[in-house]
Amino acid sequence: MSRSKNRAPDFVRQFEGAQTLDGLLELAGSPCDTADVLERMREARAEGADHTEVIPTLFDGEPRFQDPDLARRLYQNLLGLWDLVQEGKEVRLDDGPRPPRPKKERLQPPAPFHPGEPTGEFVEAAWRYLEDDDKARTRLMHAYENRQDSLLGALDAAGLTDEGYGVARHLLFELHAMLELGWPPGLSAVDARALDREPDAPPAPDTLQEYVTEALFEAEQDEEHPLAPEELAQVRTLVRRGLAALWRARKGR
């Protein structure tokens, strides 16, 4: 059967102008504009580098796209611009007057609590930082998933419902991120068996345990997907054990 009617649009490497590329870069979450991209591409060409080495540097983390068509159009423009640079052709960036892209205020992370323990003020500031700074949250999420894959594997095997698993995974991420922010030496990987037994070391600080208690209370009271009492108790046990293991995983204690 012919698939011609369902064929995706052709990919055409074409630079449509600075105004178009600026808008696509902004939608994808890049801090660069076309002038920045052009400068990096010219430097890469002079050094003999390839476009595959330049384009990833235009984003802090993974680019975000509302739909595949925007992604396709962005890369069509980036590769079209790269072709112009490679051919040594003149690239005009002046498409007419337009207002400059407003600079986003850079959020500051909370001051570390190292070598002590987190205060209530630190926990509140860290939570707000994670809520408000998308790039920081994405970076810390990647660190969590890469370093604590064994812990997440054990959580996968705990037999929770989707709602319970989502609450436990997100809460352990927030705790891991808070410790990463407050303890600059960082954290080691946690043994997956930490979720199977009660910790034999002193518990984590009260401020972090109180944060867990408040978060689980909100999960229990959630209007759309409240956790059942039995599962809430299981999630509480897993998160408490995970928190104790993360606290013990601080490097250079």
Side-chain angles (χ1 to χ4, degrees), residues 66-120:
Q66 297 175 355
D67 60 63
D69 286 340
L70 285 176
R72 177 175 55 81
R73 192 172 178 192
L74 171 63
Y75 285 103
Q76 285 181 158
N77 272 269
L78 288 174
L79 293 173
L81 181 58
W82 173 258
D83 291 343
L84 295 176
V85 171
Q86 283 291 88
E87 294 167 11
K89 294 184 177 179
E90 180 182 2
V91 179
R92 297 187 59 183
L93 301 184
D94 186 8
D95 297 336
R98 62 182 182 273
R101 183 191 299 186
K103 295 289 185 179
K104 293 184 178 179
E105 181 180 353
R106 184 175 180 84
L107 298 171
Q108 295 299 317
F113 60 80
H114 174 275
E117 295 187 354
T119 63

Side-chain angles (χ1 to χ4, degrees), residues 110-116 118 122 126 176-187:
F113 60 80
H114 174 275
F122 170 85
H176 186 274
M178 289 178 182
L179 293 176
E180 285 279 347
L181 290 169
W183 195 269
L187 276 66

Side-chain angles (χ1 to χ4, degrees), residues 156-220:
D156 284 337
L160 298 170
T161 65
D162 290 346
E163 289 78 12
Y165 174 79
V167 169
R169 180 187 175 96
H170 182 72
L171 193 44
L172 286 173
F173 156 66
E174 290 186 325
L175 295 166
H176 186 274
M178 289 178 182
L179 293 176
E180 285 279 347
L181 290 169
W183 195 269
L187 276 66
S188 301
V190 168
D191 190 331
R193 293 172 295 180
L195 298 185
D196 296 331
R197 59 176 183 267
E198 291 296 328
D200 53 5
D206 290 342
T207 51
L208 296 177
Q209 296 192 63
E210 290 168 2
Y211 183 81
V212 170
T213 299
E214 292 177 8
L216 291 179
F217 176 78
E218 292 179 2
E220 183 181 22

